[in-house]
């Protein structure tokens, strides 16, 4: 129900936007970021340029900001990313941290994403060291930013204040596809901004601002590698800009190429990559819940874990022959179990806790077989052409082409964990084993193998290609005697994602190939006659034997899993702002606008993964095979990509007001900032978002207060609305019975937007006369997100229906034998509640007062997460606390601090990155003896401590001339190892979202400009 105020605001916004769209005047966009001017020596320090916000209270890390403000004429206005308002004296209430080009250069990273991801407020971002163990996630190689640990889906990433086509069906953007050399600053808005910018700005906004009038030429060449002589990297960037025709026509062109070679898989066994010694095969060892009444904990973290259901080249895992392993040539031997374990012949091993022993033969471990970092290559070409219609108005066009390629190995071999059945008449078995079968009167046995005989590891190759075109105009005009500014643009963007997977097996073909017999002529053939008639070639997995190329070609055909995704975005947007009248305390400023947006995608997979249908692609490369599941697909070991498509459109309009309410020599200055946005989604319907904020510059020297409360939204994305449909057979427990049914996985077009309430309050001390060069701020935040979109398992859906959830009951039929089904899809069930505070401080001074040369700058940013509570809404679960869980993304404390000394020629910077000690889970009960009985919601654990980490980086630059600078950077100077991050299965046991998993890295480069 709209209130009269909401109706008035939305009507004003729509009318204003229509006025802009119909205006004939064009104007130059008023975007004058108040950077403090460089000092007499021309040095640009992070504490000066870190605040491109209009005043130091917006980004207190800019000690020179107040001085700059004083130097700017009264008529100048600014625009920053926390608000649409651009007006004299406007101080926005939403905290904003800015990084200048100088800050970004000091980090000396081949990708700006790496620099931004180190900011304390950016938690849970994804890059080339995350998802390296995944074949099917679709986010591999995607450089996407996440604020507050709320996820990349709830962080809006913009380029020059404009939306960018998503690089994934979830709609998240890939920072790697941006023209990074031309970025002059990045604004990080740590607060809800949906009322100003629209959907997805729940955690905040990250806005990349480019130099639109760059003139001259500049280039950057950089190379690096780790101390382990891997992950070698090279970067080449160049940009050129020039004005023509009395500077009315301006052209800017940039090109970028960077390559990071990654860190390859070391293969099988307990071995680190290229000499790294920290890998210890760390896992969670878990006892059955029913056994925890003995006073001992359920969980224990163990090193040197041995998964005893398989060995490197094969192991009999149950029955009278359990413990027999096979080596070179298939020769049998007794497997060396860890923990002094002895096989029980029932599949268990004494002294071991299923499925792990400790120690023993670890040669078949697959945990370290994942790439620590992907091989990563980015290429970007960008052009901007603008034409000044008159001194106040321009039209422009931008074109961007970007391609990001990566490849990696998620795991070696394809471990089969005691889930194979080998017949005793298999001709590949040694005679002694065949005889033992006969002696023990068995015809088959259970078998497990790491499949280390495979000639190649699974390798995944995602390629994302963006083509983006923007046509726009901006500037100013006069209306009712007042100066107004506007910007309007139309954008079309496309991202194509191609994923190719090589050297991966088809499950059914593998099972057919390993089940061999001798035919009447004595030739070894596949037992399944249908498979044999369709090309099956027997495969010997009994020990270490050369793989027959024909067998490998049959089980792992050259045409592996493929996915082809095309995602497009069309946007038409218009915004304008100005001052309506002069009030008693200053001008009433208005920003208003409207936007139309369409998002669309379609995805196609291969017939073996997606199933045979007209939508599946490259059918000729995947010949029909009657042994495979043709209608459903899902035949690959991993990487079963399915077909899907969907689209939605958005119409929205907003208005934002800044009302100065106080201007007094005694009491200071204060203003109110109000915003309202109405949005209509073609799928999710209408929703509103709003913001109420205030700032108060007190009469106390340098002291300011700010506060803001907002309602923010995240609309369901294409993946959630239109997920590729998959239908398989399954079973559930319902009313005490086992019910057979169809599991129909689809999107949910009835999803509602997520609704967030975002509250923050801050205190800022900036440039007091008694401490020139000093600025600090403290901001408290409280974010609640309801109707969070989440995916449930089929059994969880049935349990929720049984508990009375009518919405979920409508997605299933359970009482019609032969017609039972459950639709597995996303629902608005979960909720999030996040609390914490941010601290940002800086100090800058010339050292001549101490009779020392140069200047000194120190800056620190810290985030304290007090609570991060997730309620899944699932029956039988409780809300979980994520703050301080170092297996996740949100440690209790996270800090980034820099200290810089510089003079005319030389600059040296020391950086500390730190986060606090934490736990594996806040729901665990830590105990060693006399433990309570463990429960599903509160398991017991022997040790629930996971250490934090401190990383120290050191870098410097030297100005060889006015045009040339050389620089170097050493990251992780002490080569600090990552802490073990145990999982339920053997893995690299790392958490790259928090820990440096690469190790000490050296980089050096040269920058040139004229």
């Amino acid at each position: 129900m709209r209130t009269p105020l909401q109706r008035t605001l939305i009507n004003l916004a729509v009318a204003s936007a229509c006025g802009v769209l119909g205006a004939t005047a064009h104007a130059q966009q008023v975007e004058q970021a108040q950077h403090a001017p460089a000092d007499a020596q021309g040095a640009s320090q992070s504490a000066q340029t870190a605040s491109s916000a209009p005043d130091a209270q917006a980004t207190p890390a800019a000690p020179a900001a107040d001085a700059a403000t004083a130097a700017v004429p009264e008529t100048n206005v600014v625009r920053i990313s926390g608000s649409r308002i651009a007006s004299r004296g406007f101080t926005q209430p939403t905290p904003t941290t800015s990084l200048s080009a100088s800050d970004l250069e000091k980090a000396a990273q081949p990708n700006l994403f790496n620099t931004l991801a180190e900011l304390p407020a950016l938690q849970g971002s994804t890059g080339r060291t995350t998802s390296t163990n995944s074949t099917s996630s679709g986010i591999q190689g995607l450089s996407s930013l996440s604020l507050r640990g709320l996820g990349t889906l709830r962080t809006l990433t913009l380029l020059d204040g404009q939306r960018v086509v998503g690089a994934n069906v979830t709609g998240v953007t890939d920072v790697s596809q941006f023209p990074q050399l031309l970025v002059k600053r990045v604004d990080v808005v740590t607060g809800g901004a949906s009322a100003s910018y629209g959907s997805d700005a729940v955690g905040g906004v990250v806005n990349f601002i480019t130099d639109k009038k760059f003139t001259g030429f500049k280039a950057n060449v950089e190379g690096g590698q780790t101390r382990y002589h891997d992950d070698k990297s090279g970067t080449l960037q160049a940009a050129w800009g020039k004005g023509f025709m009395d500077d009315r026509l301006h052209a800017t062109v940039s090109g970028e190429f960077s390559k990071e070679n990654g860190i390859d898989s070391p293969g099988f066994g307990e071995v680190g990559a290229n000499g790294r010694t920290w890998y210890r095969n760390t896992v969670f060892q878990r006892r059955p819940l029913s056994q925890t009444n003995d006073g001992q904990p359920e969980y224990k973290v163990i090193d040197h874990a041995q998964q005893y259901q398989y060995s490197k080249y094969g192991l009999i895992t149950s029955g009278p022959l359990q413990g027999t392993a096979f080596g070179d040539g298939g020769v049998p031997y007794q497997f060396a179990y860890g923990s002094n374990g002895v096989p029980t012949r029932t599949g268990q091993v004494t002294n071991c806790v299923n499925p792990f022993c400790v120690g023993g033969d670890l040669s078949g471990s697959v945990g370290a077989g994942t790439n620590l970092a992907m091989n990563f290559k980015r290429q970007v070409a960008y052009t901007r052409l603008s034409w000044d219609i008159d001194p106040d108005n321009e039209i422009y066009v931008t074109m961007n082409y970007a391609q990001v390629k990566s490849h990696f190995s998620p795991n070696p071999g394809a471990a089969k964990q005691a889930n194979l059945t080998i017949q005793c008449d298999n001709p590949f078995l040694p005679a002694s084993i065949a005889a033992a079968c006969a002696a023990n009167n068995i015809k088959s046995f259970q078998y497990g193998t790491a499949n280390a005989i495979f000639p190649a590891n699974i390798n995944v190759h995602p390629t994302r290609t963006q083509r983006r075109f923007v046509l726009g105009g901006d500037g100013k005009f006069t209306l009712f005697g007042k100066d107004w500014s506007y910007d309007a643009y139309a954008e079309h963007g496309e991202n194509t994602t191609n994923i190719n997977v090589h050297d991966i097996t088809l499950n059914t073909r593998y099972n057919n190939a390993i089940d061999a017999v001798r035919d009447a002529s004595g030739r070894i053939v596949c037992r399944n006659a249908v498979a044999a008639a369709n090309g099956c070639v027997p495969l010997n997995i009994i020990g270490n034997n050369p793989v027959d190329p024909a067998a490998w070609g049959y089980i792992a055909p050259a045409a592996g899993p493929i996915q082809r995704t095309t995602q497009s975005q069309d946007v038409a947007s218009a915004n304008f702002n100005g001052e309506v009248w002069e009030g008693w305390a200053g001008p009433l400023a208005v920003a208003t606008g409207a936007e139309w947006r369409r998002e669309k995608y379609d995805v196609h997979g291969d017939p073996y993964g997606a199933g045979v249908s007209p939508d599946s692609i490259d059918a000729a490369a995947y010949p029909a095979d009657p042994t495979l599941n043709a209608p459903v697909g899902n035949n690959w070991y991993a990487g079963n990509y399915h077909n899907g498509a969907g689209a939605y459109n958005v119409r929205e309009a907003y208005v934002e007001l800044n009302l100065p309410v106080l201007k007094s020599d005694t009491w200071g200055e204060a203003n109110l900032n109000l915003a309202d946005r109405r949005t209509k989604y073609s799928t999710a319907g209408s929703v509103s978002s709003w913001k109420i904020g205030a700032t108060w510059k007190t009469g106390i020297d340098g002291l300011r207060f700010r506060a803001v409360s907002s309602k923010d939204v995240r609309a369901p994305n294409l993946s959630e609305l239109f997920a590729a449909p998959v239908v398989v057979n399954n079973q559930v427990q319902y009313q005490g019975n086992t019910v057979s049914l169809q599991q129909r996985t689809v999107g949910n077009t009835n999803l509602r937007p997520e609704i967030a309430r975002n509250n923050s309050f801050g205190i800022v001390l900036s440039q007091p006369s008694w401490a020139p060069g000093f600025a600090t701020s403290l901001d408290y935040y409280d974010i609640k997100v309801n109707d969070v979109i989440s995916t449930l398992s089929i059994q969880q859906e049935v349990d929720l229906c049984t508990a009375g959830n009518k919405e979920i009951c409508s997605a299933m039929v359970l009482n019609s034998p032969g017609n039972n089904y459950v639709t597995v899809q996303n629902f608005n069930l979960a909720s999030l509640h996040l609390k914490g505070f941010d601290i940002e401080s800086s100090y800058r001074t010339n050292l001549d007062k101490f009779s020392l040369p140069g200047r000194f700058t120190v800056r620190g940013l810290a985030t304290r997460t007090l609570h991060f509570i997730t309620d899944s809404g699932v029956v039988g679960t409780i809300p979980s606390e994520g703050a301080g869980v170092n297996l996740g993304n949100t440690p209790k404390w996270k800090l980034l601090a820099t200290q810089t000394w510089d003079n005319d020629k030389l600059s040296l910077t020391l950086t500390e990155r730190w986060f606090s000690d934490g736990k594996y889970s806040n729901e665990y009960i830590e105990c060693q003896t006399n433990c309570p009985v463990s429960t599903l919601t509160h398991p017991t654990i022997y040790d629930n401590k996971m250490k934090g980490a401190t990383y120290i980086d050191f870098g410097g630059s030297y100005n060889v001339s006015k045009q040339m600078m050389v620089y170097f950077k050493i990251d992780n100077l002490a080569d600090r190892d990552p802490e073990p991050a145990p999982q339920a299965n053997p893995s690299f046991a790392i958490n790259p979202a928090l820990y440096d998993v690469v190790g000490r890295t050296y980089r050096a480069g040269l920058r040139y400009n004229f």
Side-chain angles (χ1 to χ4, degrees):
M1 189 71 175
R2 297 181 186 175
T3 66
L5 174 61
Q6 287 176 325
R7 286 195 295 270
T8 301
L9 291 175
I10 197 64
N11 291 338
L12 175 60
V14 173
S16 302
C18 292
V20 171
L21 290 171
T24 58
H26 296 279
Q28 184 177 8
Q29 177 183 357
V30 181
E31 186 184 3
Q32 301 175 5
Q34 279 180 294
H35 292 289
D39 54 39
Q41 290 77 20
S44 175
Q45 295 302 317
S46 64
Q48 285 180 297
T49 58
S51 179
S52 34
D55 66 299
Q57 125 258 7
T59 49
D66 282 356
T69 303
V72 174
E74 179 72 4
T75 56
N76 276 12
V77 296
V78 293
R79 176 177 298 157
I80 63 169
S81 301
S83 170
R84 295 276 190 177
I85 294 288
S87 180
R88 294 171 291 141
F90 171 60
T91 54
Q92 62 115 8
T94 307
T96 302
T97 295
S98 292
L99 296 178
S100 70
S102 177
D103 299 317
L104 302 172
E105 288 174 357
K106 283 184 174 65
Q109 296 281 358
N111 189 341
L112 292 187
F113 166 84
N114 301 330
T115 303
L116 294 168
E118 293 176 355
L119 293 176
L122 282 157
Q123 302 176 345
S125 302
T126 65
R128 69 186 187 95
T129 61
T130 60
S131 301
T132 58
N133 62 343
S134 168
T135 305
S136 307
S137 69
I139 65 172
Q140 311 97 320
L142 191 64
S143 300
S144 294
L145 299 169
S146 166
L147 279 162
R148 304 287 188 216
L150 288 169
T152 57
L153 300 178
R154 300 179 186 90
T155 299
L156 181 58
T157 303
L158 303 172
L159 182 62
D160 288 322
Q162 301 171 351
R163 287 184 177 264
V164 179
V165 59
N168 179 267
V169 70
T170 58
V172 299
T173 55
D174 188 350
V175 173
S176 300
Q177 296 179 327
F178 289 10
Q180 298 185 3
L181 186 63
L182 288 173
V183 171
K184 67 178 182 181
R185 82 175 193 269
V186 180
D187 292 343
V188 180
V189 181
T190 52
S194 291
S196 295
Y197 288 96
S199 180
D200 304 335
V202 173
V205 173
V206 183
N207 191 8
F208 290 74
I209 309 298
T210 64
D211 189 347
K212 301 178 183 64
K213 295 293 186 179
F214 172 71
T215 300
F217 174 82
K218 62 179 177 179
N220 175 46
V221 180
E222 178 184 300
Q225 67 174 30
T226 73
R227 62 152 292 199
Y228 303 98
H229 306 287
D230 56 18
D231 203 24
K232 295 179 180 179
S233 64
T235 298
L236 177 61
Q237 300 171 306
W240 170 85
K242 186 175 177 60
F244 302 91
M245 302 176 66
D246 295 327
D247 224 20
R248 295 187 68 184
L249 174 66
H250 192 89
T252 305
V253 179
S254 74
E256 303 180 17
F257 173 84
S258 66
K259 175 75 180 297
E260 298 168 87
N261 287 344
I263 303 171
D264 290 337
S265 160
F268 298 87
E270 191 178 62
V271 56
N274 299 322
R276 292 170 175 83
T277 59
W278 46 261
Y279 176 64
R280 300 193 296 272
N281 235 33
T282 304
V283 301
F284 280 126
Q285 186 184 65
R286 182 184 182 185
R287 301 193 304 145
L289 200 66
S290 60
Q291 297 179 10
T292 60
N293 56 3
D294 60 356
Q296 299 299 309
E298 177 184 357
Y299 282 92
K300 189 174 182 180
V301 177
I302 60 172
D303 292 333
H304 318 298
Q306 178 195 65
Q307 197 156 9
Y308 61 69
Q309 302 98 330
Y310 62 88
S311 68
K312 187 173 185 179
Y313 298 117
L315 174 69
I316 299 177
T317 57
S318 186
L321 306 183
Q322 182 184 357
T324 302
F326 299 89
D328 291 345
V331 176
Y333 66 93
Q334 191 61 39
F335 184 67
Y337 289 99
S339 304
N340 296 315
V342 176
T344 63
R345 298 190 174 189
T346 62
Q348 303 300 312
V349 179
T350 62
N351 299 324
C352 300
V353 177
N354 186 27
F356 300 117
C357 301
V358 177
D361 183 353
L362 296 173
S363 63
S365 174
V366 299
T370 300
N371 284 46
L372 278 177
M374 299 178 190
N375 183 296
F376 187 85
K377 181 171 68 174
R378 59 181 296 270
Q379 303 171 82
V380 180
Y382 174 83
T383 297
R384 188 181 195 271
L385 298 172
S386 64
W387 172 256
D388 290 346
I389 299 174
D390 57 41
D392 293 327
N393 305 281
E394 73 163 1
I395 57 174
Y396 65 88
V397 60
T398 68
M399 293 169 284
N400 192 65
Y401 171 85
Q403 187 175 84
V404 179
K405 292 184 176 182
S406 55
H407 70 260
F408 63 96
S409 174
N411 59 274
K416 305 292 184 178
Q417 302 177 13
N419 57 354
L420 300 177
T421 299
I422 301 297
Q423 301 297 325
C424 288
D425 63 352
N426 189 309
F428 293 125
L429 286 174
S432 60
I433 299 301
C437 284
N440 287 278
N441 197 28
I442 59 173
K443 294 184 178 180
S444 65
F445 51 79
Q446 295 303 111
Y447 192 74
T449 175
N451 278 312
I453 61 170
F454 285 179
N457 292 340
I458 299 169
N459 51 100
V460 185
H461 300 255
T463 299
R464 293 182 176 85
T465 304
Q466 182 197 91
R467 298 170 182 85
R468 183 173 183 263
F469 177 87
V470 178
L471 174 65
D474 52 45
K476 63 182 181 181
F477 59 93
T478 300
L479 183 65
F480 303 126
K482 297 288 186 179
D483 288 336
W484 292 76
S485 66
Y486 75 93
D487 67 86
Y489 74 95
E491 179 245 15
H492 175 74
E494 293 183 357
N495 239 317
T496 57
T497 302
N498 296 335
I499 300 179
N500 294 283
V501 184
H502 303 301
D503 301 307
I504 193 168
T505 57
L506 290 160
N507 290 326
T508 301
R509 287 190 181 181
Y510 174 88
N511 292 334
N512 286 332
I514 66 172
D515 188 16
V517 294
R518 292 189 184 273
D519 64 9
S521 67
R523 188 169 57 98
I524 299 177
V525 297
C526 298
R527 185 186 305 270
N528 186 315
V530 176
N534 284 272
C536 181
V537 179
L539 175 68
N540 183 4
I541 62 168
I542 310 300
N544 183 17
N545 300 284
V547 175
D548 182 345
W552 179 247
Y554 172 71
I555 67 171
I562 58 174
Q563 183 187 61
R564 301 290 182 263
T565 306
T566 300
Q567 190 163 344
S568 66
Q569 180 187 75
D570 296 290
V571 179
S573 175
N575 308 278
F576 78 89
N577 68 73
E579 297 173 358
V580 180
W581 69 77
E582 191 72 24
W584 64 92
L588 172 64
V590 177
T592 187
E595 181 174 295
W596 173 86
R597 186 171 83 255
R598 181 178 63 187
E599 306 277 356
K600 181 181 179 181
Y601 98 106
D602 62 84
V603 59
H604 304 277
D606 63 274
Y608 292 171
V612 176
S613 81
D615 293 327
S616 299
I617 55 177
D618 289 353
Y622 302 85
D625 184 339
T627 68
L628 301 180
N629 191 326
V632 175
N634 294 339
N635 292 292
W636 297 105
Y637 176 79
N640 292 289
Y641 305 114
H642 290 267
N643 306 317
Y648 68 88
N649 61 71
V650 186
R651 291 175 291 167
E652 53 191 331
Y654 76 92
V655 63
E656 183 175 359
L657 304 173
N658 178 64
L659 175 63
V661 295
L662 175 66
K663 189 171 185 179
S664 165
D665 293 338
T666 303
W667 295 100
E669 302 175 8
N671 66 279
L672 289 175
N673 181 221
L674 310 172
D676 185 84
R677 177 179 290 259
R678 300 296 297 186
T679 306
K680 185 172 184 179
Y681 299 96
S682 60
T683 54
S686 298
V687 66
S688 67
S689 52
W690 50 260
K691 175 179 69 172
I692 302 176
T695 62
W696 177 29
K697 181 181 179 181
T698 71
I700 301 173
D701 185 14
L703 182 64
R704 306 179 189 229
F705 294 93
R706 58 189 176 200
V708 64
S709 180
S710 64
K711 175 188 174 183
D712 302 286
V713 300
R714 182 185 82 82
N717 59 49
L718 290 166
S719 176
E720 294 160 339
L721 292 166
F722 307 107
V726 182
V727 180
V728 296
N729 294 322
N730 207 337
Q731 294 180 331
V732 295
Q733 297 299 312
Y734 176 62
Q735 296 181 343
N737 299 313
T738 299
V739 178
S740 297
L741 45 71
Q742 277 191 342
Q743 175 181 318
R744 304 173 181 177
T745 302
V746 297
N748 185 357
T749 55
N750 294 319
L751 288 171
R752 304 178 300 277
E754 298 177 354
I755 304 297
R757 281 298 307 273
N758 201 319
N759 300 300
S760 67
F761 173 79
I763 304 173
V764 181
L765 182 64
S766 176
Q767 302 294 314
S769 59
W770 48 268
F774 175 73
T776 188
S777 70
L778 173 66
D779 287 278
Y780 171 82
Y781 59 86
D782 186 330
I783 305 170
K784 296 180 180 179
V785 189
N786 293 317
D787 286 337
V788 171
I789 298 169
S790 57
T791 304
L792 306 177
S793 70
I794 184 172
Q795 187 62 55
Q796 287 172 333
E797 285 195 25
V798 171
D799 292 344
L800 277 169
C801 175
T802 303
N805 189 308
K806 295 182 179 179
E807 179 184 3
I808 293 181
C809 285
S810 66
M812 62 187 71
V813 170
L814 298 172
N815 54 7
S816 179
N819 298 301
N820 292 324
Y821 69 88
V822 172
T823 304
V824 177
Q825 56 189 4
N826 288 289
F827 292 97
N828 296 94
L829 281 175
S831 64
L832 303 170
H833 190 188
L834 177 63
K835 291 182 180 181
F837 57 84
D838 297 323
I839 304 172
E840 185 170 355
S841 298
S842 67
Y843 178 70
R844 176 174 171 79
T845 185
N846 288 315
L847 297 177
D848 53 6
K849 66 184 71 175
F850 304 107
S851 300
L852 296 172
R855 296 160 298 275
F856 180 70
T857 303
V858 59
R859 184 185 188 187
L861 302 95
T863 292
R864 171 67 161 96
T865 304
L866 297 171
H867 295 290
F868 195 143
I869 298 172
T870 302
D871 187 346
S872 68
V874 174
V875 173
T877 66
I878 61 172
S880 62
E881 172 63 83
V885 175
N886 285 3
L887 280 178
N889 303 321
T890 51
K892 287 187 175 181
W893 279 99
K894 193 173 182 182
L895 168 73
L896 176 67
T898 60
Q899 304 85 44
T900 298
W901 174 89
D902 70 281
N903 64 10
D904 295 351
K905 288 284 190 179
L906 180 65
S907 175
L908 299 172
T909 299
L910 189 68
T911 302
E912 298 84 26
R913 297 175 281 135
W914 170 81
F915 60 90
S916 57
D917 294 347
K919 298 179 178 181
Y920 298 123
S921 170
N922 284 310
E923 314 314 318
Y924 288 156
I925 299 173
E926 184 175 342
C927 56
Q928 288 79 44
T929 58
N930 299 317
C931 295
V933 175
S934 194
T935 67
L936 289 174
T937 55
H938 289 298
T940 53
I941 190 170
Y942 185 86
D943 184 1
N944 193 26
K945 299 180 182 66
M946 188 171 176
K947 291 181 180 180
T950 300
Y951 302 104
I952 299 174
D953 310 330
F954 180 65
S957 63
Y958 181 77
N959 294 320
V960 178
S961 66
K962 291 183 179 180
Q963 291 79 33
M964 183 180 297
M965 171 194 290
V966 293
Y967 63 91
F968 73 94
K969 182 76 182 301
I970 306 173
D971 287 338
N972 194 356
L973 194 63
D975 195 31
R976 209 275 191 199
D977 295 337
E979 288 297 313
Q983 306 296 324
N985 294 306
S987 66
F988 240 135
I990 52 176
N991 180 11
L994 289 182
Y995 297 86
D996 184 327
V997 301
V998 173
R1000 185 191 305 147
T1001 302
Y1002 307 93
R1003 284 187 295 275
L1006 179 149
R1007 296 188 181 96
Y1008 183 80
N1009 67 85
F1010 66 84

